[in-house]
Amino acid sequence: MDNKTLSIVSYITLLGWLISFVIGKEKSNSLLKYHLKQSLGLIIFSIVLSIILNVLMLVTKIGMLGIVGFIPLILMIIGIINAANDVEKPLPIIGKMFEDKFSFIG
């Protein structure tokens, strides 16, 4: 797989991220490294948001809070579009936080 494909796959769940990380380890370029960082940040954001929403819905009994749970899906689609267009553009809302994190990626 080429780096563009691996960049796209990295946004598709944690398993996709792991596949992209392992396969692209030897031949990664700046595009793949950038999207690996962004997608890992998105995965972490999704987990934290899920925990917060579950606690809030349990405490407040407001089921409409579940709509906020679609934010990671929308961000994932934006990330896939950026990766498909060979653009190193941060994800809205959370992208800037993860640009300089995860030094183990490269």
Side-chain angles (χ1 to χ4, degrees), residues 14-79:
L14 181 59
L15 182 61
W17 188 89
L18 287 171
I19 290 169
S20 296
F21 181 72
V22 171
I23 292 175
K25 208 170 207 177
E26 305 87 38
K27 57 177 182 156
S28 63
N29 62 2
S30 65
L31 178 75
L32 178 57
K33 290 176 185 176
Y34 185 83
H35 286 290
L36 280 171
K37 290 177 183 180
Q38 290 288 299
S39 58
L40 182 58
L42 179 59
I43 290 167
I44 293 169
F45 171 75
S46 299
I47 292 169
V48 171
L49 181 65
S50 175
I51 292 169
I52 291 170
L53 284 177
N54 282 327
V55 169
L56 283 176
M57 284 192 297
L58 206 94
V59 171
T60 63
K61 307 235 190 290
I62 300 175
M64 292 299 292
L65 287 174
I67 293 173
V68 177
F70 284 106
I71 291 173
L73 176 64
I74 295 167
L75 293 176
M76 180 184 76
I77 292 169
I78 292 170

Side-chain angles (χ1 to χ4, degrees), residues 1-9 29 31-32 83-86:
M1 282 195 268
D2 65 335
N3 286 322
K4 183 177 182 178
T5 306
L6 289 172
S7 296
I8 294 169
V9 170
N29 62 2
L31 178 75
L32 178 57
N85 291 329
D86 290 330

Side-chain angles (χ1 to χ4, degrees), residues 86-100:
D86 290 330
V87 178
E88 291 184 15
K89 185 177 173 185
L91 295 172
I93 304 168
I94 63 165
K96 290 283 186 190
M97 290 187 289
F98 300 110
E99 283 185 324
D100 57 348

